Amino acid sequence: INDPSREAYTKTQKFTTFDILPTIRYTSAYGFYFEAGPKFSTLKTAKVENSVDGAFIDGNPNQDYMLNFTEKFTSIVAGMGMALHNGDRLQVTLGIRGAYALGDFVEESSDYYVLNDGVYIPQGSFTAKTSPFTLKLMLEVNYIFGFWGDASCGRGRLMFFQ
């Protein structure tokens, strides 16, 4: 309902995760790349605040807000981009990377619903899966300090630039 006498309401949720991304990347001779793979995430912090009083008062069954969310979750990642500079030792690439969580981000044992925070109270029961999607703009700078060189006799060694 659009009521001009009511103040606008915003709610901000902030999550910090530690991610491991063992992706496979294909780079063409022209500098374009495509990548895909899994992302294994561990939730480190979860914070929330609203615009009414800055606090978070709801029907949250757990005192610790972070306990309402799955601590470890897996996502599928895909990305693409192109080289802005591709020199002998320095590479600069620009691309995008998207990740979609495969499981439910809200803990199954929790009766918590993300939108119900005591200010905005949705009507009805909601049991939809909560799977975060992230889209990132990536600027990558790589400095190459050495390479592996193979000799015709079959022996190889690590060689560093001078």
Side-chain angles (χ1 to χ4, degrees), residues 138-158:
M138 306 293 293
L139 178 64
E140 190 174 304
V141 179
N142 297 314
Y143 181 76
I144 302 163
F145 60 89
F147 61 95
W148 184 263
D150 284 327
S152 59
C153 66
R155 295 183 61 192
R157 67 179 230 191
L158 181 62

Side-chain angles (χ1 to χ4, degrees), residues 100-106 108 113-114 126-132:
Y100 178 75
L102 299 175
D104 195 352
F105 186 55
V106 176
E108 285 183 31
Y113 179 62
V114 177
F126 298 91
T127 58
K129 188 169 103 171
T130 307
S131 297

Side-chain angles (χ1 to χ4, degrees), residues 87-146:
D88 289 338
R89 294 188 195 178
L90 182 69
Q91 293 176 332
V92 180
T93 60
L94 181 68
I96 59 171
R97 179 184 291 161
Y100 178 75
L102 299 175
D104 195 352
F105 186 55
V106 176
E107 185 65 41
E108 285 183 31
S109 62
S110 174
D111 292 332
Y112 177 68
Y113 179 62
V114 177
L115 294 179
N116 184 5
D117 61 359
V119 178
Y120 172 74
I121 303 171
Q123 301 300 314
S125 63
F126 298 91
T127 58
K129 188 169 103 171
T130 307
S131 297
F133 174 75
T134 58
L135 187 64
K136 298 179 182 180
L137 179 65
M138 306 293 293
L139 178 64
E140 190 174 304
V141 179
N142 297 314
Y143 181 76
I144 302 163
F145 60 89

